[in-house]
Amino acid sequence: MDTDVLIVGAGPTGMTLANELLIAGVSTVLADKLSQRSDLSRAGGVQSRTLEALDQRGLLEPLLATGEHPAITGHFAGIPLPHDANRHRLPWRSVPQVVIEEFFEQHLAAHGLHVRRDHELVALAQDDDGVTAAFANGATLRSRYLVAADGAHSAVRSLLRAGFPGQPGTLTIAAADVRLGGVDAPTSHTWNEDGHWAAVFPLGTDPQGRQLHRLVLGGPGRSLPRDIPVTEDEIRHGLSTVFGPRVHLLELRYARRITNASRQVEQYRHGRVFLAGDAAHVHLPLGAQGMNTGMQDALNLGWKLGAAVHGWAPENLLDTYHAERHPAGAAVLRNVRAQSLLMDWAGTRDPEVLAAREIFTAMAQLPDTQRHLADLMSGMAIRYPLHGTEAHSLVGRPAPDLDLGPARVHELLRSGHGILLDPGDTFAGVAGRWSDRVDRVGQGARTEPMLIRPDGYVCWAGAADPEPALNRWFGEPR
């Protein structure tokens, strides 16, 4: 074998997975077809659950130190969702994808893992022992496992001939990175009476310290073929149509057309090959969910691959990747479709759509609705279908970030191990048999007993014997 895991695609999903495997002590090759890292912003925000996961790996503070990344108001279908300081420990932050990719690539390189660029995958074959990948530059690599993180037009998915059902793109909108004059709100969705609309979000600053924005334009007559370039005149006309003379274009840095395609692969696992991120699911970029969902795929899969490589993965552990992440991805596709409808994405001004939006906007003022939507959009609402979910409300959910005396939960997870919280020192004898992969925290924990997986999700809680859960998630004891 050339490596334990080959990751195809060095975007946020691929690099998040590479970091998880680095922590797990697994040899990894990260390959990408591009000759250099993209300088395009693309995704523009990091949700609460992803921020928590970065904090669990000690990466959040260094990432936020790379520039000004404000916490800003989220939205559902363009309806603002106010921050609730007591709801999520870490509110949504504006961190462009280009910043995340640069940060991760430098972090991985500092630990000896360098992206192999100019590696365009052209063939793959798998057998009982591993996967052989061939690249257009003549290189071949043999790995125990391969992960496709190579985007919406995934070469891996095509070579697997994996089913990718869903809704094809029926219209496009224009998305651009711009400098604007006259913008007076940190986040805004604005419609005019004819159905034309614009969305404006902050993207940090350029090297000269000037504010950048992501601008999205849609409405009647704005759906053009994807291969037609987005011009400055088109951007200026769109701004004028929605805002009048108040908002104007200072600089167009990058623009593309985005479709409303909505698809998800039928299976996230194909033998020794796994699909993650946009290779597994595509949808409209609403609510900063695409990049975050892909990074969460990687966080779910990474420790499980590490367990398989090190030989302690229990039977069917790798199958739980599909069982847990496919429903999570499907839920994102559903809420994006609902947002597209309520936003009147196509600018139809259909009276029935407008009536539904009016009622929903009023409902969104209710605290319970705001909390539900904030949990849904942030990834905090996910509850994996883990064994024993019926027994305790915490099981399957992100672990609460408790202060355990010597450290908080997110700090203890930086080892990449599981954690057994044992406040009564009841399970020391049992836990010792898994001590190479599970860290026990005894007296002083000031909480109820709880078993937390390396990805930060609770897989057992309560007063019962934790040994069945240890066996299920961490394999046979040593």
Side-chain angles (χ1 to χ4, degrees):
M1 294 289 172
D2 297 307
T3 189
D4 290 322
V5 180
L6 168 61
I7 303 170
V8 180
T13 299
M15 288 198 277
T16 300
L17 178 60
N19 187 66
E20 290 297 293
L21 296 173
L22 185 70
I23 292 169
V26 170
S27 65
T28 304
V29 169
L30 180 57
D32 196 279
K33 68 179 181 180
L34 297 179
S35 59
Q36 60 184 12
R37 186 178 62 251
S38 173
D39 60 357
L40 307 178
S41 69
R42 290 172 290 181
V46 185
Q47 295 281 12
S48 296
R49 179 60 198 140
T50 307
L51 292 168
E52 287 192 352
L54 292 170
D55 210 11
Q56 290 167 7
R57 300 301 186 241
L59 299 178
L60 181 58
E61 288 188 12
L63 173 62
L64 297 182
T66 60
E68 183 180 350
H69 305 300
I72 64 174
T73 302
H75 73 93
F76 187 91
I79 301 166
L81 297 177
H83 286 312
D84 184 340
N86 297 317
R87 187 64 176 170
H88 301 146
R89 182 173 67 91
L90 299 168
W92 194 96
R93 300 294 287 259
S94 175
V95 188
Q97 179 174 335
V98 64
V99 173
I100 291 174
E101 290 184 359
E102 181 179 12
F103 170 80
F104 262 114
E105 186 162 359
Q106 292 177 354
H107 171 75
L108 293 171
H111 290 81
L113 203 169
H114 299 270
V115 179
R116 299 192 186 184
R117 298 205 171 272
D118 289 311
H119 275 61
E120 181 180 2
L121 185 75
V122 293
L124 66 82
Q126 60 176 313
D127 52 42
D128 291 342
D129 299 318
V131 185
T132 302
F135 298 90
N137 61 7
T140 61
L141 283 169
R142 178 82 171 155
S143 60
R144 295 179 65 177
Y145 299 99
L146 184 147
V147 180
D150 53 342
H153 303 287
S154 170
V156 176
R157 189 182 64 232
S158 296
L159 291 167
L160 290 172
R161 297 181 180 177
F164 198 39
Q167 170 187 305
T170 57
L171 57 84
T172 65
I173 49 91
D177 293 358
V178 295
R179 287 198 303 114
L180 297 175
V183 176
D184 57 5
T187 303
S188 64
H189 284 73
T190 306
W191 290 260
N192 75 0
E193 60 184 14
D194 297 324
H196 293 277
W197 59 269
V200 181
F201 305 97
L203 276 181
T205 58
D206 66 11
Q208 288 74 44
R210 299 174 298 186
Q211 179 67 55
L212 299 175
H213 286 92
R214 163 64 53 79
L215 170 68
V216 186
L217 295 169
R222 297 211 177 276
S223 180
L224 300 176
R226 293 189 69 181
D227 58 353
I228 294 180
V230 180
T231 65
E232 290 188 3
D233 284 344
E234 181 179 348
I235 296 297
R236 290 193 177 94
H237 182 266
L239 289 170
S240 174
T241 300
V242 177
F243 297 107
R246 176 171 62 87
V247 179
H248 52 279
L249 180 67
L250 298 176
E251 179 187 2
L252 173 61
R253 297 172 62 89
Y254 152 70
R256 62 174 175 152
R257 300 191 193 278
I258 298 171
T259 79
N260 62 339
S262 177
R263 296 183 180 276
Q264 185 179 30
V265 289
E266 294 173 330
Q267 293 292 325
Y268 279 28
R269 181 183 184 184
H270 293 254
R272 290 180 171 270
V273 180
F274 300 81
L275 295 106
D278 288 353
H281 41 75
V282 296
H283 54 80
L284 278 171
L286 283 172
Q289 294 182 94
M291 177 180 71
N292 287 269
T293 303
M295 293 173 74
Q296 291 297 321
D297 290 343
L299 292 158
N300 184 286
L301 180 59
W303 73 275
K304 297 172 182 178
L305 284 174
V309 169
H310 290 306
W312 58 259
E315 186 178 3
N316 299 325
L317 180 65
L318 291 177
D319 289 332
T320 67
Y321 170 62
H322 171 85
E324 294 171 11
R325 292 307 299 168
H326 190 279
V332 171
L333 264 63
R334 286 194 299 272
N335 86 55
V336 166
R337 289 187 185 118
Q339 290 189 71
S340 175
L341 175 66
L342 289 169
M343 283 183 68
D344 191 17
W345 189 267
T348 64
R349 308 305 285 171
D350 185 318
E352 294 182 353
V353 172
L354 296 179
R357 179 178 177 83
E358 182 179 353
I359 292 174
F360 190 86
T361 300
M363 291 176 60
Q365 307 310 305
L366 302 174
D368 284 350
T369 303
Q370 291 175 355
R371 286 192 288 268
H372 172 74
L373 294 176
D375 286 355
L376 183 72
M377 299 289 287
S378 66
M380 299 299 290
I382 291 173
R383 187 180 189 186
Y384 290 143
L386 308 188
H387 178 72
T389 296
E390 309 84 2
H392 199 288
S393 61
L394 283 174
V395 174
R397 300 188 187 279
D401 191 49
L402 303 167
D403 185 351
L404 303 176
R408 301 190 70 89
V409 167
H410 76 268
E411 295 169 323
L412 295 173
L413 284 165
R414 290 173 183 173
S415 67
H417 290 182
I419 301 173
L420 177 62
L421 302 184
D422 180 19
D425 279 335
T426 307
F427 307 117
V430 172
R433 297 156 59 201
W434 281 272
S435 61
D436 59 327
R437 63 203 83 150
V438 177
D439 299 329
R440 188 182 71 89
V441 180
Q443 287 186 353
R446 298 195 296 273
T447 182
E448 61 184 313
M450 193 183 310
L451 181 61
I452 305 171
R453 304 189 319 189
D455 60 352
Y457 283 80
V458 178
C459 57
W460 170 87
D465 182 3
E467 187 166 353
L470 285 163
N471 272 299
R472 173 172 172 77
W473 296 106
F474 297 96
E476 293 294 323
R478 59 182 178 181

